[in-house]
Structures are given as C-alpha cells and as structure tokens.
Amino acid sequence: MDYLRAFIVGGTICLIGQILMDKTSLTPARILVSFVTAGVILGALGIYDPIFEYGKAGASVPLPGFGYALAKGTIKEVQQNGLIGAFTGGIKATSAGIAAAIFFGYLMAIIFNPKAKS
Amino acid sequence: MVEKRLGEQTIAFKNPPSIISTAAIAGPKEGEGPLRDYYDIVLDDDLFGEETWEKAESKMQKEAVRLALEKLQIDEKDIDYIFAGDLLNQLMASSLAARDYRIPFFGLYGACSTLTESMSLGAMAVDGGFADYVIASTSSHFCSAERQFRFPLEHGNQRPPTSQWTVTGAGAAVISSKGKGPYITHVTTGRVVDFGIKDANNMGAAMAPAAADTILRHFKDTGRTNKDYDLIITGDLGKVGMELTLDIVKKQGFDMSANYSDCGVKVFDLTQQDVHAGGSGCGCSAIVFCGYLYKQLLEGNLNRILLISTGALLSPTSTMQGESIPGIAHAVAIERGV
Amino acid sequence: MKTLRMEGDCMEHTNEERLKKEFQDMVKRSAPSSNFLKDCLAAFVVGGLICVIGQFVMNFFINMGIPKEEVGYYVATIMVFLGAFLTGIGVYDNIGKFAGAGSIVPITGFSNSIVAPAMEFKREGFVFGVGAKMFVIAGPVLVYGISSSVIVGIIYYIMNLFK
C-alpha cells in the first residue's frame, strides 16, 4: 500500500512538472527552483504535512519534498534555539542530501567521463 | 568604380573562381545518415583520439584541410589565405588547427553561416586578384557545442521537437583562380534579420526570415528566379525553418517547393535518427556541400545550385539577457560550367 | 524605426512590427506539438517508480530500526547516490530523454544536475572545472530553497514573539 501511494503522489508531482515544461516556456531549471520554493512555502503553511503523511517517499523524494524538509527543519530549530535556528535548521535537515550530492558528484567526475549521445 | 556589383547585396564575379577540391569529415552519427558514402572520413569515435571535444573538432578541421590539399597535390605554402570558423568561443577549433599550418589566417564567426561566409570572402580574394589559392573551412562538434550552448552531455533533459542536432563534422574547400569549375559565380551577402524569436530551441524559425531575405534579395539583384537553379539549399534550418522559408518566399511569388532543400534535413534520416527537426552547426552545410553537393556538381547531376548557409547569431549571454535571436544567411551561387 | 526591407514589392512598405507579429504567429502554427500525452504518461510512470524505489529504501531502514526522524537522511543519501551513479555510467541522460520531468523533479534529478556538469567540466581542471561548475544547474535550487527557508524561519520567530 505504501508503494502504491508513493507511486501516485510522486508520479503526480512529476506530472505537474511535465505539464509546466510542455505547456509553458519555463526552463527545467526554473521549474526546479519553483518546486523547491513551493515546497518550502507549503511546508511552512502546514499544507505539505498531509501530503507527506499520505505519500511518504512519494512526497519526500521529489524536489518539493526537499523544500518541505528545509521548512520543517527551520521551524523545528527556531522552536528549540530561537532566531539562529532560521539559519541552521534548513541545511541541517537537508545536510545528507546536499553533502551526498557534492561528494558523489566529485567521485563520479573522477571515475567517469561523459559520453557522446547517440 | 564598383564594377562587379549587382543590385544592393550581390557580387557577380568577372572571372568566377573555381572550387578545385573539397574534403569532408563526419562524426559517427552523421556516418549513419543517408549521405554516409560521400564523406572522405567517418569517425568511429567522437573524440577522434583526442582528450577533449574541442581538440577533436580542431583535429577534424585540420584533417579536412590536409585532405583537400592532398587531393590536389599542392603544398600548403602555395595557399595564400585560409578563411576558417567554428561555433566555439574565440574560434577555438579553427585557431588551434591553424597554428599547425603556415597559411595566413582569417578567423570568421558567422555561427552556422560560416561556410558560405568563408567561401564568399575566399572567392572575393581570388577574383579581386589578391590570391591564387584560398581555403574555406569550418567545423562543428555536437559535444563541444552542447557544453557551450546548452547542457552537459550527461544531464537528463528533454529536447523539444523543434530543437536541432549539432552536426559533428568539418569541411574544407580550396578555391582558386586556376581550375575548371565548379565555379562560384555570385555571392549574395546577407543582412542580420531578427523577427523576435527568442526560443533557442527553435533556431530554424529564428533563421528562416534571414534565409528568405537573402534568397529574395539574390533573385532581385540577379534577375534570376528559383527556376534558374537545379537546387536551392539552405544550411541548417531543419524541418521547421525550411517550411517557414518556403512559405515566406512563396508569399513573394516564388514557389520553390520543387527544388528547395536544406542541409540539416539531408544530413540525417529524420524518421530513423533521433535528431528532432534536423541537423545544425557550421559542420552541417560544410559536410553536405564538401561531401555530397560538390560531387553532384562534378558528376553533372547538378549544374547550378544556390547554397545559403544560415546562422543564428545568439550567444549564451544574449539568451540569458533576454535578447531575441539575430539571424544571418549568405548565399553562394555555384555552377558547373560558365 | 527602420523599415524592414523584406523583398518583394508587396511587403516592402509593411510595418515591421506587423511583419514580426505575423511571422511569430506563423512560427507558433508551424511548431510540431510535442507528444504531450506520451510525455505526461512517461513522466508520471517514471517519476512514480523512482518514488517507489525511495519508499523501498525508506521501509528498509525503518525495519532496520532507524528512528523515524533520521530515516530521511538515509533515503536522501541512497537516492542521491543512485542518481549520481546512473549519471556516471551514462544511463540517466537516456532516462531523462524519455521521462522528462519524471526524472528531473525527483532528488535523483537534483543529483544528476550536479554530477553531469562535474563530469563535463573535468577537462577544465578540478578546481575551476569540477569544483566551480558543479552547481551551475543545481546552485539556484539551493539558493532559492535555503533563502526561502531562512525567511520562513525569521517569520516564524517573529510570529512567536507576539503569541
């Protein structure tokens, strides 16, 4: 059941992205930026919580989930540590993803070379 | 004073220079295309034994020049000028290639229109009496163009159907006062035309007005029409730009549908190869002309053609600053006998 | 305004703006439509499947006894690794060609957008090539994501002051 929900929620978020890509002149980079920012806002307003509860990985793996984690982490840290939490909370909550992307990115760049497309 | 000009933008040569030799080198994907048998060399490796895409492109251009000279058995010291260009910043491919020849070098940037730009200037140098032998050469490489103008190769983006595929290839043509054709008889130099297209994924549309403008100007200046040519062929408009050009020219009273084509459509099999609207790049008209069209002229399958290489004069900076795409097109009339 | 000299007498005196407008309409009509339904289906299915893999990873670590608050770290790390690895071996760009947003929007796509330029610009060296170009696509995501979360934190703090 988890899997079906993750599939539907995750698939729907990607579907929205595809519609934006095909029907507007937004570039993929702009869509990613809007998705993350939308995740932050929806997270802050508490709208993303039920989506996450329902979709689990389907809501956390797409980029709005990244924004959601940023917002949740910030709010939690502000509750615990006051204003400085606004600066520490977001990155703390998403630290694993960011550090992994930098580290594996570097690693892959050492190991592999880009190939021509066919 | 001016005695070789026709109309506003056209030159008619007094002693039409000959194209005495050409060479074309194509990448692996182009080598699977319909014109595969006409290229001198088809690479089986996009890197051409080099370490970077840029150096691979440069080597293609150098080899094309070497091959074109080899066919003539003349030495590079007999060459008076080389007019060369490519798509890379500061003409990296041409400049790196040119440091290995001892030929006076003019580096040209006309985006994908550079082939006919270099042929025009080369023919003018020859008919003007400034040179006996000149080389026009251009190149482009899919991978070096992607990383400069678009995304890294391994990025998982989706190309829209109007996008075009940069041709990996290089062509060189030797133009001389001595020779028995095919002759460059006329040159119509295009103006920059911009109809406000901003979509860098639809360069065919951005260039179509420039192509149509140059074709119509050529007709007006020379008094010729499409019926005077066996083939009118644009450089890299692709399927979308080609249809737009046909449309614009038709509205002015010239129906070219019977003898009009585009190198970007010829170079790939659009139904079998995943290239969307067709080929593009300096290499596109270069390998189609230096490989295919030149041989058709030699064999007499074509007697008179109008070749119009088309360029989209955008840069990554101009795109990011929201500028529309200026287009350019230069026409060269080539015929078998004069 | 310069007059556009599109040749052929009937257009010679035409207003440039109208000509441009006409042409832009012509371009809109001429553009082949992307295969919208196929694109959407591919994005939905592939995006959904990537999330199913994410769910599998999540369940795996929950069953291992990882606390619920921390399991997100594990999912993110593994998914980022998968995206990076598939980019390295040259598979992710092919998935992207088929799936479009389906493989751009998940965190594996974020990873792809970091790894692809890192690999591409290796030839410009490890400092200004790999190091600097790594964030050429993903950088804005971090800039806007993190900045907006800081703003959220500040607003939240101020709101709590007045409670």
Side-chain angles (χ1 to χ4, degrees):
Chain A
M1 200 52 199
D2 276 358
Y3 295 111
L4 185 65
R5 286 176 178 180
F7 182 79
I8 292 172
V9 173
T12 306
I13 295 172
C14 295
L15 176 67
I16 296 169
Q18 188 68 41
I19 294 171
L20 289 174
M21 258 170 64
D22 278 8
K23 292 291 174 193
T24 69
S25 53
L26 287 175
T27 57
R30 283 171 196 273
I31 291 171
L32 293 188
V33 167
S34 351
F35 270 36
V36 167
T37 314
V40 172
I41 295 168
L42 294 177
L45 298 175
I47 299 170
Y48 210 77
D49 290 302
I51 303 175
F52 177 71
E53 283 313 312
Y54 183 81
K56 298 272 167 43
S60 71
V61 170
L63 274 178
F66 189 77
Y68 171 65
L70 281 167
K72 292 290 278 188
T74 309
I75 289 172
K76 199 173 127 202
E77 287 270 309
V78 172
Q79 282 168 347
Q80 286 173 0
N81 304 331
L83 189 55
I84 195 67
F87 294 91
T88 57
I91 297 189
K92 250 187 208 173
T94 51
S95 54
I98 296 172
I102 293 174
F103 176 72
F104 292 130
Y106 196 85
L107 196 66
M108 297 302 160
I110 293 175
I111 303 173
F112 297 107
N113 287 318
K115 285 175 270 299
K117 296 189 178 196
S118 55
Chain B
M1 258 317 271
V2 179
E3 51 187 14
K4 297 173 187 174
R5 285 190 76 88
L6 284 180
E8 285 184 28
Q9 287 170 239
T10 302
I11 287 173
F13 292 113
K14 274 269 158 60
N15 301 298
S18 284
I19 303 168
I20 54 175
S21 169
T22 63
I25 298 183
K29 190 180 176 108
E30 292 68 25
E32 289 165 11
L35 305 180
R36 65 182 83 83
D37 298 332
Y38 295 95
Y39 306 131
D40 295 278
I41 295 178
V42 173
L43 308 186
D44 42 44
D45 158 28
D46 286 275
L47 273 172
F48 204 4
E50 295 290 326
E51 276 181 0
T52 70
W53 309 121
E54 288 79 7
K55 283 174 89 173
E57 180 178 340
S58 188
K59 186 175 172 186
M60 285 195 303
Q61 205 179 124
K62 199 162 64 189
E63 284 298 298
V65 168
R66 192 186 60 75
L67 272 172
L69 290 180
E70 193 178 276
K71 290 179 190 175
L72 290 173
Q73 297 188 312
I74 62 172
D75 197 70
E76 73 173 47
K77 68 173 187 292
D78 298 322
I79 305 296
D80 300 303
Y81 293 111
I82 182 162
F83 295 83
D86 56 81
L87 296 176
L88 303 180
N89 289 336
Q90 288 79 40
L91 302 184
M92 181 173 175
S94 307
S95 313
L96 293 194
R99 67 184 172 187
D100 290 345
Y101 341 116
R102 294 169 175 280
I103 309 172
F105 170 78
F106 284 114
L108 305 174
Y109 189 83
C112 316
S113 73
T114 312
L115 179 77
T116 46
E117 183 182 7
S118 60
M119 286 170 69
S120 302
L121 291 170
M124 280 151 79
V126 168
D127 189 49
F130 303 108
D132 270 332
Y133 295 100
V134 304
I135 295 175
S137 77
T138 57
S139 62
S140 59
H141 194 302
F142 175 79
C143 302
S144 61
E146 280 299 293
R147 77 203 300 258
Q148 178 172 312
F149 289 100
R150 296 181 194 92
F151 288 107
L153 291 173
E154 300 296 347
H155 186 249
N157 56 320
Q158 209 167 32
R159 307 166 150 267
T162 50
S163 69
Q164 291 173 251
W165 189 277
T166 307
V167 164
T168 300
V174 185
I175 301 166
S176 171
S177 54
K178 299 159 187 162
K180 297 189 176 66
Y183 301 94
I184 299 178
T185 58
H186 297 76
V187 161
T188 303
T189 306
R191 291 177 300 217
V192 174
V193 179
D194 187 338
F195 270 23
I197 301 295
K198 289 190 174 177
D199 182 1
N201 281 311
N202 195 356
M203 297 208 291
M207 297 186 288
D213 187 62
T214 300
I215 292 171
L216 292 167
R217 172 54 67 182
H218 178 80
F219 290 166
K220 185 161 189 181
D221 286 350
T222 58
R224 291 179 174 181
T225 71
N226 51 304
K227 296 196 181 70
D228 292 302
Y229 289 98
D230 295 330
L231 178 67
I232 293 173
I233 186 161
T234 42
D236 60 344
L237 296 180
K239 204 170 55 184
V240 180
M242 188 179 157
E243 279 158 20
L244 289 167
T245 303
L246 260 183
D247 241 34
I248 302 173
V249 176
K250 194 172 185 176
K251 278 185 189 153
Q252 308 299 318
F254 301 96
D255 182 4
M256 308 196 294
S257 49
N259 58 347
Y260 171 61
S261 188
D262 182 74
C263 298
V265 172
K266 285 251 178 209
V267 73
F268 290 120
D269 180 342
L270 298 194
T271 56
Q272 298 294 318
Q273 294 181 291
D274 184 25
V275 293
H276 297 259
S280 68
C282 293
C284 182
S285 56
I287 63 173
V288 172
F289 176 73
C290 296
Y292 173 71
L293 295 171
Y294 184 69
K295 289 177 184 109
Q296 299 302 307
L297 284 161
L298 282 186
E299 286 164 15
N301 298 331
L302 293 172
N303 278 312
R304 192 193 267 177
I305 67 169
L306 188 65
L307 174 68
I308 310 109
S309 292
T310 39
L313 299 173
L314 79 175
S315 78
T317 310
S318 70
T319 306
M320 278 196 273
Q321 294 181 353
E323 288 293 324
S324 55
I325 304 170
I328 183 95
H330 300 302
V332 171
I334 304 164
E335 88 185 59
R336 195 164 169 244
V338 184
Chain C
M1 196 197 326
K2 70 180 196 295
T3 46
L4 189 94
R5 296 192 292 177
M6 185 58 116
E7 280 322 314
D9 296 316
C10 59
M11 278 168 97
E12 190 112 44
H13 305 292
T14 319
N15 180 295
E16 178 179 12
E17 291 307 315
R18 216 186 77 204
L19 205 61
K20 279 190 180 176
K21 182 85 187 44
E22 251 178 53
F23 179 71
Q24 283 165 7
D25 291 343
M26 211 164 126
V27 169
K28 269 188 206 126
R29 281 197 305 274
S30 79
S33 56
S34 50
N35 206 333
F36 184 58
L37 287 180
K38 187 240 116 194
D39 282 359
C40 284
L41 191 67
F44 181 76
V45 171
V46 174
L49 285 177
I50 292 173
C51 293
V52 168
I53 296 170
Q55 190 63 51
F56 176 80
V57 174
M58 190 185 268
N59 291 355
F60 177 82
F61 284 105
I62 288 175
N63 290 339
M64 292 241 319
I66 305 295
K68 222 179 164 190
E69 308 82 70
E70 281 170 37
V71 82
Y73 295 147
Y74 291 82
V75 176
T77 309
I78 300 280
M79 296 308 284
V80 162
F81 171 77
L82 284 178
F85 182 71
L86 291 174
T87 306
I89 60 173
V91 172
Y92 208 87
D93 59 323
N94 292 323
I95 300 175
K97 197 163 80 178
F98 172 73
S103 57
I104 289 178
V105 171
I107 196 166
T108 47
F110 176 72
S111 170
N112 168 254
S113 74
I114 287 181
V115 181
M119 287 166 68
E120 183 70 53
F121 293 96
K122 182 162 65 164
R123 280 147 186 159
E124 279 76 17
F126 281 92
V127 175
F128 283 114
V130 178
K133 297 278 190 178
M134 199 177 248
F135 287 100
V136 78
I137 306 166
V141 172
L142 294 179
V143 170
Y144 286 94
I146 291 171
S147 302
S148 53
S149 80
V150 170
I151 294 171
V152 164
I154 294 171
I155 293 175
Y156 184 77
Y157 176 78
I158 294 171
M159 277 168 50
N160 276 355
L161 286 181
F162 293 101
K163 261 185 188 164

